[in-house]
Amino acid sequence: MLERLQVWVCLAAIVLGLVLASLWPGLGEGLTAWVWIALGLLLFVTFAQIPWEAIRLAFNDRRFLVAALVGNFVLVPLLLIALLPMAPDDPAIRLGILLVLLMPCTDWFIAFARQGGGDSACAAAFAPVSLAAQFLMLPVYLALILGPGETVGLMSPTVFAAAALLIGLPLSAAVLLEQALRVRGRVQVWQNRFGVATVPLLALVVGLIALAEAPVVFEGGRELLGVIPVYLLFLVGAAALAWALARVFALPIEQGRTLAFSLGTRNSFVVLPVALALPEALHAAVMVIVLQSLVELFGMLGYLRWMPRLFPAPQAPSEPSGSS
C-alpha cells in the first residue's frame, strides 16, 4: 500500500514544506543538519534492501547484464546530452539534471519491475552492479559533458568528502548488517521491515528539503518547472531505448520490462548528498533532483500501464475445436 501511495505522500510532504515556509519565513533556516540526518537514514534503509549477495548472480545472465550496462551507461548519457539543450540555461539547474539522470536507480526500480510484470530477481541482481558502476562513471560523465576544468571546480575536495561520508557510512553499515543477518538467516525479514520505512523517510527528506530550500523555489519556480518537459521526454526516450535493446539482445518479455524500469528510474536520493554539499549558489540543483523524483514517481504509474503493451506477453495458441 505504501508503494502505491508513495507519490501522493511525497507530493503532500513537499507541498506542506512549502506552505510552512510561506507562512513562517525563516522556519527552514538551520535545518541542514536535520536534512543530512534524515537523508543518511533514508540511504541506510535503501542500501539495506539491496541484495549484495546477489551480485554474483548478475553474471549468470550476461545478455541482460550487458544490455542493462549499455543502456544505462552508454545510451542514457547520449539521450541526456540530446535533451540537455532543452533545459533552462541555469548552471545549477543543468548540473542537477546531470547529477540525477546519470545515476540509475538501485532500489525502487526493483519494486516497480515486480509490479510491472518484470523479472524482479534479475533486477535485484543488477542493483549492486549498477551502484558500483555509477559511482565510477559519474565523474567521467561530468568531465565529458561539462569539461574537466568545470568539473574539478564543482567537485571540490569538500564536496567530495561530504558526499562520500554521507553515502559511505550508510552503505558500509548496510553491507555489514546484511552479512550479520545472513548468518542468522534473517535477511529477508529485515529487508521487508526496511521497505516499510522507506516511504515515511522519503517523505520526511523531501518535506525538510522543500522547507529548507523554499527561497530557491519561490525565487526560481518558473525555471525549476522548466525541467519537467526534459524529465518527461527522458521517460519516453528511456522506454524507447529499452524496447530497442530488448530486441537487439533478444531478451525475454520479463527482462525487457525490467530493462525499461532500470533505464527509466534514477538514483535521486543517492546523488542528493553531492547536491547538498555544493556551494550555496548551486543549491537549486537540490530542488531539481527532488522534482525529478516526483516526476519519476508519476511516470512510473504510467510505466506500469504502458509496459505490458510495449512488451506484450506472447499469446497462447488457441486450441483447435474438435469435431463432435
Side-chain angles (χ1 to χ4, degrees):
M1 184 181 67
L2 283 173
E3 288 177 351
R4 290 197 303 269
L5 295 176
Q6 62 184 333
V7 59
W8 305 107
V9 173
C10 292
L11 179 60
I14 291 172
V15 171
L16 178 61
L18 294 177
V19 168
L20 290 175
S22 65
L23 293 176
W24 291 283
L27 184 63
E29 295 177 5
L31 285 179
T32 304
W34 291 105
V35 172
W36 285 82
I37 291 171
L39 182 56
L41 289 173
L42 175 61
L43 290 175
F44 170 72
V45 299
T46 297
F47 293 142
Q49 295 174 70
I50 296 177
W52 299 100
E53 186 70 15
I55 192 169
R56 57 184 176 80
L57 301 177
F59 297 92
N60 292 344
D61 193 335
R62 296 184 182 178
R63 190 168 49 175
F64 175 82
L65 177 62
V66 172
L69 289 174
V70 169
N72 277 299
F73 298 105
V74 178
L75 298 183
V76 163
L78 293 176
L79 173 63
L80 182 52
I81 290 172
L83 293 176
L84 198 59
M86 299 178 56
D89 192 17
D90 181 305
I93 290 178
R94 292 198 170 193
L95 178 61
I97 292 172
L98 285 174
L99 286 174
V100 69
L101 292 186
L102 286 170
M103 301 280 275
C105 184
T106 54
D107 49 352
W108 63 33
F109 109 87
I110 302 174
F112 283 123
R114 182 178 65 250
Q115 294 175 42
D119 187 335
S120 57
C122 201
F126 179 65
V129 178
S130 172
L131 187 65
Q134 61 193 258
F135 281 128
L136 292 175
M137 295 304 298
L138 181 62
V140 177
Y141 290 140
L142 292 178
L144 289 174
I145 298 173
L146 299 177
E150 190 171 350
T151 303
V152 171
L154 292 172
M155 303 299 291
S156 64
T158 303
V159 172
F160 180 80
L165 184 65
L166 185 55
I167 295 171
L169 286 179
L171 177 59
S172 301
V175 173
L176 291 174
L177 178 63
E178 181 179 328
Q179 297 305 314
L181 291 173
R182 191 166 299 283
V183 172
R184 301 185 179 186
R186 303 279 293 173
V187 174
Q188 190 61 51
V189 173
W190 278 96
Q191 283 182 343
N192 292 337
R193 291 176 180 175
F194 289 135
V196 173
T198 301
V199 175
L201 281 172
L202 185 59
L204 177 62
V205 168
V206 297
L208 287 174
I209 288 176
L211 183 58
E213 302 295 334
V216 175
V217 178
F218 296 150
E219 292 171 15
R222 184 173 298 178
E223 283 197 317
L224 285 173
L225 292 177
V227 305
I228 293 179
V230 176
Y231 291 151
L232 293 176
L233 287 173
F234 177 83
L235 287 168
V236 174
L241 290 176
W243 182 87
L245 280 169
R247 275 145 186 77
V248 169
F249 286 90
L251 298 179
I253 295 299
E254 293 80 6
Q255 290 189 358
R257 294 175 183 176
T258 304
L259 183 62
F261 285 107
S262 175
L263 300 188
T265 53
R266 303 287 95 187
N267 229 351
S268 51
F269 295 103
V270 173
V271 80
L272 259 180
V274 179
L276 286 168
L278 290 170
E280 189 71 26
L282 295 172
H283 260 214
V286 176
M287 284 308 298
V288 168
I289 293 170
V290 171
L291 183 58
Q292 186 278 334
S293 67
L294 192 60
V295 173
E296 180 180 295
L297 284 171
F298 277 105
M300 288 304 106
L301 297 180
Y303 264 43
L304 290 175
R305 291 178 175 269
W306 188 19
M307 287 310 114
R309 299 178 184 178
L310 192 62
F311 300 94
Q315 299 249 342
S318 57
E319 294 184 9
S321 58
S323 56
S324 56

